Amino acid sequence: MAREILILRRLDHPNVMKLEGLITSRVSGSLYLIFEYMEHDLAGLAATPGVKFSEAQIKCYMQQLLRGLEHCHSHGVLHRDIKGSNLLIDNNGNLKIADFGLATLYQPHQKQPLTSRVVTLWYRPPELLLGSTDYGPSVDLWSSGCILAELFAGKPIMPGRTEVEQLHKIFKLCGSPSEAYWKKSKLPHATIFKPQQPYKRVLEETFKDFPLTPRARSLMLSSETRKQEGE
């Protein structure tokens, strides 16, 4: 909680939940964080019967999400748990990134090992599933790309039950890395999770009916392309 408070005090942006204050309980000795009230979360709205987001709404929510993330990343903060239930929305359509319990401070030019056991499974990027401890803002952008596709599809696009199943769902949709990537990969779980047969990328075909602009499509493809190139 101390780390979360430190991070929240560093951030000040319309699309990031602002820490309003702290309250302690003399009875239980507990410490409570006080935030402004938001009526909804994105996952709850998406799961409401009869609710289907328009293209304009999706653009609006994604723009706010990416602006909030840009502020976080420019201030040396990785959220590491971007998902619908952590994106709060008020009745005026304002979106704010919440729940920085898994967030951490990072310095782009300073190597420091980070845990790979972060990000809710359905939104976890392949490098974390493979055990990488050297990563940056791309982990939040992968999650954002998953949310973009989820808003158009009306459901999570890769709901894996285990880490192995999650990684193979990614491979089946985005294609598996080349043989050259596996040979030079030094990630801890590369040998364990390598598929027995290579998968072709079917992402464009799967989402061909989505009204995506080239920039929006690149958001969905950015992390996948990076892994294909073996970076």
Side-chain angles (χ1 to χ4, degrees):
M1 182 176 282
R3 182 178 64 182
E4 184 175 2
I5 293 171
L6 177 66
I7 288 173
L8 288 168
R9 284 181 169 173
R10 175 179 289 210
L11 303 174
D12 185 12
H13 191 271
N15 300 123
V16 176
M17 285 296 288
K18 185 175 180 59
L19 179 62
E20 301 288 353
L22 304 171
I23 292 181
T24 57
S25 170
R26 293 182 179 179
V27 177
S28 64
S30 299
L31 177 66
Y32 298 94
L33 308 186
I34 309 302
F35 299 95
E36 63 184 297
Y37 179 71
M38 302 289 283
E39 288 84 0
H40 314 281
D41 66 75
L42 192 59
L45 283 178
T48 302
V51 170
K52 181 173 178 57
F53 297 121
S54 67
E55 183 179 347
Q57 285 177 306
I58 294 173
K59 286 181 178 180
C60 180
Y61 291 148
M62 289 303 302
Q63 183 183 60
Q64 293 181 80
L65 167 58
L66 294 173
R67 282 177 173 171
L69 282 178
E70 193 279 332
H71 177 76
C72 293
H73 297 160
S74 66
H75 285 73
V77 174
L78 301 179
H79 186 277
R80 303 198 300 182
D81 198 21
I82 295 296
K83 57 182 178 180
S85 58
N86 285 342
L87 304 177
L88 306 186
I89 301 173
D90 66 18
N91 285 335
N92 294 318
N94 296 308
L95 179 146
K96 295 180 185 287
I97 301 171
D99 194 348
F100 283 76
L102 291 179
T104 190
L105 299 173
Y106 85 106
Q107 295 178 318
H109 305 297
Q110 182 176 335
K111 294 289 185 179
Q112 53 179 345
L114 301 169
T115 179
S116 62
R117 306 292 295 180
V118 288
V119 186
T120 298
L121 188 60
W122 295 356
Y123 308 92
R124 192 178 304 171
E127 59 265 39
L128 295 189
L129 291 164
L130 290 170
S132 175
T133 58
D134 179 18
Y135 55 84
S138 59
V139 299
D140 289 337
L141 293 179
W142 174 277
S143 304
S144 300
C146 292
I147 287 179
L148 172 60
E150 181 176 328
L151 291 176
F152 277 113
K155 60 182 179 180
I157 60 169
M158 292 183 286
R161 294 168 294 182
T162 66
E163 291 184 350
V164 175
E165 182 180 357
Q166 186 67 30
L167 193 58
H168 280 256
K169 281 183 177 291
I170 293 173
F171 290 159
K172 288 178 181 179
L173 179 64
C174 302
S176 53
S178 65
E179 188 64 29
Y181 169 81
W182 293 114
K183 287 182 178 179
K184 70 177 183 179
S185 176
K186 297 180 180 179
L187 295 178
H189 307 318
T191 303
I192 302 172
F193 288 170
K194 178 184 177 182
Q196 294 182 348
Q197 60 182 16
Y199 293 105
K200 290 181 59 178
R201 183 171 70 179
V202 296
L203 197 147
E204 290 90 344
E205 297 93 322
T206 303
F207 301 134
K208 65 180 184 299
D209 296 327
F210 289 4
L212 297 174
T213 65
R215 288 188 177 182
R217 190 176 300 276
S218 70
L219 173 63
M220 290 175 54
L221 293 171
S222 59
S223 294
E224 177 271 330
T225 301
R226 177 167 47 83
K227 300 310 293 180
Q228 288 287 338
E229 294 173 349
E231 295 183 5

